[in-house]
Each structure stands twice: as structure tokens, then as C-alpha cells.
Amino acid sequence: MGSYRPREVCVVGAGMSGLAAARELRREGHAVTVMEQSGDVGGQWLYDPRTDGDDPLGAKAPVKVHSSMYASARVISPRECMGFSDFQFVPRPGAGGRDRDARRFPGHREVYCYLRDFCEAFGLADDIRLNTRVVRVAMQAPPPSRDDARSRSGGGGGGGYSDVKWKVRSVHVEPDGGGGGGEAAEVAVEEVFDAVVVANGHYSQPSLPSIAGMDTWQRRQLHSHSYREPGPFRGEAVVVVGCGDSGMDIATELCGVAKEVHLVARSVEAATTPPPMLSKILANHSDIHLHPQVDRLCEDGRTVVFADGCRVAADAVIYCTGYTYSFPFLDMGDGLVTVRDNRVGPLYEHTFPPALAPSLSFVGVPMWVFAPWLFEAQARWVALVLAGKVALPPEEDMLRAVQEDYRAREMAGVPTYHTHAIPALDRSEIWEFVYRHSDLPRMEEWKAELFWTGFMNAKDDRDTFRDREDDSENVREGVRRWRCVSGAQYEAALAAARGGF
């Protein structure tokens, strides 16, 4: 283990993962500066009614509006499974004079309010610079070659560039979104840090399909990143491409507003097998019509042709085709960190680039996980490594582990773009990751039961799963204790932060 030395650390982003990183870094005595381009904390959970008006497809990177949240969005995991280990996501109806959402599956504003409370309870606000966009992160005078860097590191674990410092260039962004469009638009500020934690999320930069005719089709096209409310589609025929969470949410929300809704699946057979989730949606909403992939958008500017030859006259196409990891500020000209087919690589345990560990790390990359619990574990691991209390393997061993993970996923048939879906191989890996890299309390059995029950309820009936009341006695007793103990803990933390005792 190295000797203790607090570091000057820059955290990019003040969403769920960035706040987790800031709290854990501070606990280990590091000096933290969080740079957040929005006017408040919350990341994706900070609802922004604006959209990228001149680029509704989000084809230009980076997008101007960070949040992709639509107005009606509700969480898909029970709130009991969504909290920090020592600051649980308990209901607080009417707390602080604000209108709060006490439902088990609340709307997006409730998550934002919770993150604001977390920020206050742990005194993070003074470390956060709002309206500050990071435009460049680069090594400061790196060694001339990686071999030289390895020699300098002494082979004591971590990467060959583990001891480099980082230049971080940022610009001010006006609260209304103006400014910060580039170095010519604003005077850039450049600072040097011992380490950088990238926590800018991965639900902002749209992933777009390649469909013949997209470039010339005359009617409205947008990505779900730019969707907010159904009103603008009243009386229209709308094609929704993609039947993941956002695709199903948006398609059902458009029912009763749009004239027709055409939902596109990558594979109709796969989307309806096994039933009943999508099958039940189609049964409950007779104005949703399921189609195979779009073959082309026709030159007449109106007709959409599907892979089975079916044609519809459409007024709008909404691409609910997911997002891609995007780090436009990272200057990694030598390819030490790349994004290919939605794989950020190489990343040891989805967190450390082997050559640059631990001076550069990523928190919040994993998908299909308990958030923020897993992000908290990542952040704890990063903070301990930077403090010299936990050692990383040598760079070669980390690279070998990354390649072994890639091979295991390939053999299991997991596509490359799901590299960071931690439970894609084994759902227990979510728990094992947390226990392997942190001392966080183990997930209580009733919480795991509640989560998987909610997951199965969603597959059974997407329209009603958030409002079902079918807890087992084990879950009911767990929730009762949780509300009592965690509710008191939550209020005590806020009272202490406000000088209550």
C-alpha cells in the first residue's frame, strides 16, 4: 500500500454518480472540485423542458441540453432499492414545503429532490461549481513513451501513467444555456489536478440507427432525448423506433393523443416472446401497431417502409434507440481510452483505464445495476485507491482481466454494446462487484426480493406494475423497518447539516 496523501481531484458531473464520487473522496480527505454544466445538481434527474431545437436527433456531439428526461417519466426500480447505503430514498411528503412524491415508483422530480437532500446532508455544495462545462481533460506533460512511464512507476501496481497530473479546461455556461459553446465563445479556465473522476453519465448522447432516407426525409424526426410531452404529436401518425423502456413509455403516452402509433421492434418475434409484456401492451392499446425494423424512409417525405414490406404514412419518427457513452472533453490522442460500439475500453472492472489508473477513473459507467448503490461502491474504491489504502494490480494484470471479461461475454452471446451491463452474465455479479470493492453493507434479502418482484411485474403488465400492491410478508416487514430506521437517519442527517443538533 502507498502512504496516505490527499489528492486534488476533479469530478466531472454532479449527477448521481458524481455526487457519490464527491462524498467518498471527501471522506478520505481528498480536496474535491466538482464541475457541473447545468445550473443545479441532479444530472439526468434535473428535468429540463428545453431540447436541442436545431438538432432534435442529437446527431451533433456533444448535445447542448444534457437531460433526456421526459415530463411523465417515473423510475422503474422501487425506491427502497435506489438509495445510498447510509442515506436511503425514503418518502418525505411535503418535506421542506416542497410537493414530494411518496410513491414507491416516483416521478423524476422526487429523485432530483432526494439528490438535493443528499448534497445538503453531506455538505457537498461548496465543492460544486455549477454552470461550468469541462471542455478538455488531458495529461500534463506525459512521459515520452509508455515504456518510460512504466519504468517511472516502479511496477508497484496501477498503470504506467499512474502518477501524471491532469490539465482540466472549463468554460462558464450561462444559466439559460448560452455561452460555453467553445473556447472562442468564453474565456477558458485551465487548472491542474492530481486525478480526474469522469462521472458525466451516459444517457445524453443519442445512439442513432442507420436507415436509408433519414438524411432526406422531410417530416419531423427526433430522438427520445428531445421528447418531453405528447401534445406536439396530437392528431399525427407517429412511428416509434425501439421498444425498450423509453419506447414503450412514449408509445403508450402517445395513445389517445396521436392518430396512430407504430412501434418498431428489432425483432417482432423476440419482442413478443415470451409474452406477456409487449403482448399485453398491444392488447391494452389497440391504436399501437407493432412492426419489424424500418427498411427505409421514402423520398416522398411521408412514407415509412418496414422490413416486411408494410408501408405507413407518418408525420413523425421518434428514435428510442438508446444512448452512447460520450466523453468529448477527454483528450486521449494515443487511444488509451476509446468508445467503440458503446464499449468504453479498456476499463478494469468498469472503473479504471489500466494505463492511467488510478489518476483517471470512471464512476457511473455500469448499466442494469442498483443505482446509486453500485456507484457508491465504485466511488469508495476510487477514493481508497487514491488515498493509498487499497492497491490496484499491475497494468498488465488489469489488461488481462479486461480481455478475459470480453471473452466471457462473447462466449455467452452478450453483444459488445452491452459490455457494461454488469449482470448480463450473472445477475449475482451486481452484488459481488459491490462486496469485492467496498465495505458497504450487504443488500438485505427483502430488498432483492422486492426488486425482482417489480421486475417480473413489469414483464407481466407494463401499464400497472408501478402501482401494484402485492408485497410478501417478508417485504412488508422489511419496508416497515426501513421506513422507521432509514427515515430517522435521513432526517437526522439533514438536521445536523442545518445545525439542528
Side-chain angles (χ1 to χ4, degrees):
M1 306 292 175
S3 59
Y4 176 78
R5 180 172 70 86
R7 308 291 185 99
E8 295 275 348
V9 186
C10 175
V11 177
V12 182
M16 189 175 278
S17 55
L19 294 177
R23 198 269 295 265
E24 296 304 323
L25 289 164
R26 282 190 46 166
R27 281 180 162 175
E28 289 303 319
H30 301 296
V32 181
T33 301
V34 182
M35 298 188 184
E36 168 55 51
Q37 64 182 332
S38 300
D40 203 347
V41 301
Q44 279 299 324
W45 300 103
L46 177 62
Y47 176 73
D48 190 339
R50 300 173 305 158
T51 63
D52 284 42
D54 60 344
D55 182 24
L57 285 174
K60 303 171 187 173
V63 292
K64 294 179 181 178
V65 176
H66 178 73
S67 180
S68 301
M69 196 66 64
Y70 40 94
S72 65
R74 293 174 65 183
V75 300
I76 60 173
S77 299
R79 69 186 305 147
E80 293 91 338
C81 302
M82 285 187 63
F84 289 93
S85 62
D86 56 352
F87 195 77
Q88 296 286 301
F89 189 17
V90 293
R92 301 184 73 228
R98 293 176 293 186
D99 183 21
R100 300 291 289 258
D101 184 348
R103 294 175 295 178
R104 170 169 285 170
F105 295 88
H108 56 78
R109 186 178 183 277
E110 177 70 2
V111 185
Y112 158 74
C113 290
Y114 167 68
L115 294 175
R116 283 289 305 268
D117 286 348
F118 177 81
C119 189
E120 179 182 357
F122 295 96
L124 303 179
D126 289 344
D127 295 330
I128 300 172
R129 296 183 195 167
L130 301 174
N131 300 308
T132 302
R133 177 178 297 150
V134 174
V135 295
R136 186 171 184 261
V137 172
M139 287 185 282
Q140 182 185 43
S145 73
R146 294 181 65 187
D147 289 338
D148 290 348
R150 288 192 184 96
S151 298
R152 295 196 331 163
S153 72
Y161 293 145
S162 61
D163 60 346
V164 300
K165 292 185 181 292
W166 294 87
K167 293 187 294 185
V168 177
R169 184 179 300 161
S170 63
V171 295
H172 174 73
V173 181
E174 294 298 329
D176 63 357
E183 295 174 42
E186 292 281 341
V187 176
V189 175
E190 190 163 274
E191 301 161 88
V192 176
F193 294 89
D194 297 313
V196 172
V197 178
V198 178
N200 65 324
H202 51 89
Y203 293 109
S204 287
Q205 191 62 49
S207 175
L208 293 167
S210 178
I211 297 173
M214 281 182 68
D215 293 341
T216 57
W217 206 64
Q218 296 301 306
R219 292 185 181 261
R220 183 162 34 165
Q221 297 182 80
L222 66 151
H223 189 272
S224 56
H225 168 72
S226 297
Y227 175 88
R228 294 295 181 267
E229 296 179 325
F233 302 92
R234 185 172 301 279
E236 295 188 346
V238 183
V239 174
V240 178
V241 180
C243 52
D245 291 323
S246 60
M248 287 187 289
D249 280 353
I250 290 171
T252 53
E253 184 170 68
L254 289 172
C255 290
V257 174
K259 179 176 64 176
E260 302 169 8
V261 180
H262 299 273
L263 183 60
V264 177
R266 182 175 295 173
S267 163
V268 170
E269 182 180 5
T272 55
T273 306
M277 180 165 61
L278 191 51
S279 299
K280 189 166 286 188
I281 286 178
L282 296 173
N284 291 344
H285 303 279
S286 59
D287 44 355
I288 296 181
H289 309 280
L290 186 64
H291 299 273
Q293 294 187 69
V294 175
D295 179 70
R296 64 187 184 279
L297 306 180
C298 293
E299 294 179 359
D300 64 3
R302 184 75 189 272
T303 305
V304 177
V305 181
F306 302 99
D308 61 358
C310 178
R311 295 168 172 256
V312 300
D315 299 291
V317 178
I318 304 176
Y319 298 99
C320 300
T321 47
Y323 297 87
T324 185
Y325 295 95
S326 179
F327 314 105
F329 48 84
L330 270 185
D331 185 354
M332 296 283 105
D334 46 9
L336 294 177
V337 180
T338 62
V339 180
R340 295 193 180 98
D341 197 8
N342 215 36
R343 169 188 283 172
V344 186
L347 285 187
Y348 175 63
E349 295 276 34
H350 311 276
T351 306
F352 291 104
L356 300 162
S359 64
L360 182 68
S361 59
F362 293 73
V363 172
V365 166
M367 302 186 297
W368 304 357
V369 298
F370 292 99
W373 188 59
L374 189 135
F375 303 156
E376 184 182 4
Q378 276 189 295
R380 184 88 185 122
W381 185 27
V382 170
L384 289 170
V385 170
L386 288 175
K389 296 182 179 180
V390 172
L392 290 173
E395 178 181 341
E396 292 78 8
D397 290 354
M398 288 191 281
L399 280 170
R400 188 177 303 112
V402 171
Q403 293 303 321
E404 289 173 354
D405 179 64
Y406 291 171
R407 282 194 293 272
R409 290 171 180 274
E410 182 178 359
M411 291 177 63
V414 178
T416 301
Y417 57 81
H418 281 162
T419 292
H420 303 295
I422 287 187
L425 288 175
D426 179 356
R427 76 183 193 186
S428 67
E429 181 60 16
I430 302 174
W431 286 271
E432 293 306 316
F433 183 100
V434 173
Y435 306 150
R436 193 162 58 241
H437 297 305
S438 76
D439 55 358
L440 296 182
R442 290 185 169 259
M443 176 73 70
E444 295 171 273
E445 188 275 333
W446 68 266
K447 285 188 179 181
E449 179 186 341
L450 174 61
F451 176 84
W452 292 113
T453 299
F455 177 75
M456 296 308 296
N457 285 347
K459 291 177 71 67
D460 178 62
D461 193 334
R462 177 82 185 186
D463 288 332
T464 65
F465 83 96
R466 292 183 177 93
D467 301 308
R468 287 170 65 162
E469 297 182 3
D470 52 0
D471 292 348
S472 69
E473 182 58 36
N474 181 47
V475 170
R476 283 197 294 270
E477 176 58 23
V479 171
R480 185 194 65 78
R481 293 194 311 270
W482 175 80
R483 283 177 176 263
C484 180
V485 175
S486 298
Q489 183 186 53
Y490 193 119
E491 299 303 331
L494 285 175
R498 296 166 181 170
F501 54 82

